[in-house]
Amino acid sequence: MEESQTRKRKRKKPKKKRAFKIVMGIIVLLILGVGAYAYSVWHSVEKTFTQTHEPLKRDVSEKRPEKVSLSDKDPISILLLGVDQRAGDRGRSDSLILMTVNPKDQSMKMTSIPRDTRTEIVGKGTTDKINHAYAFGGVDMAVNTVEKFLDVPVDYYVQVNMESFKDIVDAVGGVTVNNDLNFTDGGYTFKKGQLTLDGKEALAYSRMRKKDPRGDFGRQMRQRQIIEGVIEEGASVQSLANYGDILDAIGTNVRTNLTFDDMKQIQSNYKDARRNVEQIQVDGQGEKINGIYYYAVSDATRQELSAKLKDHLNLK
């Protein structure tokens, strides 16, 4: 029997400070920020990000006529994947955010795609939850599936292993978050209010979903809180002494097709996009098919969002 549970979500208003911290936290802190600590550690930084480099099986997206030029400040898109990867298991992409950046009009858009979104899995020949694409075919299948779903190119990706993300949290000395929901999960009790979490606690805090009435949207919010906390602590003076641990954690837990030169150009040419940041939540509704929950997004919603992102990427 099919059941339907409506979960329509309105797009969130721009929150410049938080959005910038989240975006640049992954692109700057996890990718570039450590290099700003001191030129004396530059060699270690370069070595670390050579380790994180993992190209896609293609040179350029089929949805672009030619590869983007970072030096010419072409608008770009970056898929951020938070992967729940455990020992002996490739895992699934628990968090999917497509970030589009237009440096010429100094703006960013972050589109959060619910993990249960029902769509075609490109290369698998099935229709399933979008987060299963990574489980079936790794980052290449995930990228191709997101491109098909939104009908826009994905130029770059940044993948963070959430299972070992605790190492990054511990490397910066823990994180502080403001919790808005009392719950117990993973053997830990989290009370409302300000909490200081170590790596294992932060991982449990960011994973909880079933006990949150907001479901996946609540978990995405907690994941953003952890990332923001890492940025706050990672940028502090106290973290300078731990740059070795931070680099080790990044080298182990982050993979991207961005080269070190790409990262330097993004930091140089795209950082002013923080002037105008918009966070977008994909509108849809919950439904059950054969007893399995999916998040259904209408064709009209997808087309409207696709047109908005194409316009931001200067694509026709």
Side-chain angles (χ1 to χ4, degrees):
M1 181 178 63
E2 295 185 3
E3 299 176 8
S4 179
Q5 180 182 3
T6 302
R7 289 187 180 180
K8 295 185 177 180
R9 302 287 171 180
K10 295 182 178 180
R11 295 174 182 172
K12 297 182 179 179
K13 294 180 179 180
K15 296 183 179 180
K16 295 183 180 180
K17 186 175 181 181
R18 168 170 284 190
F20 174 62
K21 285 181 177 179
I22 294 169
V23 176
M24 299 312 286
I26 294 190
I27 301 303
V28 178
L29 180 66
L30 300 185
I31 300 300
L32 289 175
V34 181
Y37 285 166
Y39 284 104
S40 62
V41 300
W42 190 257
H43 177 71
S44 296
V45 174
E46 184 173 13
K47 182 179 179 180
T48 295
F49 292 120
T50 297
Q51 180 182 345
T52 66
H53 184 245
E54 195 168 288
L56 293 169
K57 294 178 181 178
R58 69 185 195 199
D59 290 329
V60 62
S61 169
E62 293 181 355
K63 296 186 179 296
R64 277 199 184 277
E66 58 185 15
K67 191 173 182 179
V68 294
S69 171
L70 299 177
S71 59
D72 290 340
K73 299 184 179 182
D74 289 341
I76 61 173
S77 62
I78 304 173
L79 181 63
L80 312 178
L81 301 101
V83 175
D84 187 7
Q85 186 176 16
R86 311 183 190 195
D89 181 16
R90 175 185 281 165
R92 292 182 173 88
S93 50
D94 265 2
S95 179
L96 286 166
I97 300 173
L98 183 69
M99 180 178 69
T100 56
V101 188
N102 189 320
K104 294 177 181 177
D105 67 10
Q106 298 180 338
S107 67
M108 295 183 189
K109 297 186 190 300
M110 292 178 63
T111 303
S112 296
I113 306 172
R115 63 188 294 249
D116 293 327
T117 300
R118 190 170 186 266
T119 190
E120 177 186 344
I121 307 299
V122 177
K124 186 68 175 176
T126 60
T127 298
D128 209 329
K129 297 182 179 184
I130 198 166
N131 72 321
H132 287 188
Y134 181 86
F136 292 143
V139 68
D140 286 275
M141 189 171 287
V143 166
N144 292 337
T145 297
V146 169
E147 283 192 334
K148 174 77 174 185
F149 176 67
L150 293 176
D151 193 28
V152 295
V154 174
D155 302 308
Y156 302 104
Y157 79 91
V158 177
Q159 173 190 320
V160 180
N161 180 2
M162 299 305 293
E163 166 65 18
S164 298
F165 193 71
K166 61 182 182 290
D167 298 336
I168 297 177
V169 173
D170 286 333
V172 299
V175 296
T176 300
V177 299
N178 285 308
N179 182 28
D180 66 353
L181 180 71
N182 287 316
F183 68 93
T184 298
D185 202 69
Y188 300 98
T189 297
F190 302 97
K191 296 182 179 180
K192 282 186 178 181
Q194 184 170 292
L195 303 175
T196 299
L197 309 174
D198 63 20
K200 291 182 179 179
E201 292 168 335
L203 185 61
Y205 178 80
S206 66
R207 272 183 170 165
M208 193 279 285
R209 176 171 65 113
K210 294 183 178 179
K211 299 175 184 178
D212 192 325
R214 297 163 295 189
D216 196 42
F217 298 101
R219 174 160 61 175
Q220 289 178 358
M221 181 196 71
R222 284 188 293 278
Q223 288 176 343
R224 291 196 295 267
Q225 286 181 325
I226 297 299
I227 292 171
E228 181 178 353
V230 167
I231 296 159
E232 293 286 354
E233 297 297 332
S236 69
V237 174
Q238 289 87 342
S239 293
L240 298 184
N242 297 331
Y243 81 86
D245 292 339
I246 295 172
L247 288 176
D248 287 343
I250 291 173
T252 301
N253 300 314
V254 177
R255 291 295 177 267
T256 178
N257 62 333
L258 287 161
T259 67
F260 189 54
D261 285 341
D262 291 338
M263 298 170 196
K264 289 187 288 186
Q265 287 197 67
I266 288 175
Q267 170 64 2
S268 176
N269 297 333
Y270 291 73
K271 61 184 178 182
D272 287 339
R274 69 184 183 274
R275 296 175 185 273
N276 180 18
V277 181
E278 180 183 3
Q279 295 190 52
I280 300 172
Q281 184 67 63
V282 180
D283 291 337
Q285 61 182 18
E287 66 177 13
K288 280 193 175 182
I289 300 177
N290 297 325
I292 300 174
Y293 174 84
Y294 295 96
Y295 189 74
V297 180
S298 70
D299 287 340
T301 296
R302 287 196 303 113
Q303 291 166 7
E304 180 183 357
L305 178 55
S306 177
K308 183 174 185 176
L309 296 179
K310 284 178 180 177
D311 182 64
H312 193 228
L313 291 169
N314 291 349
L315 297 173
K316 295 183 179 179

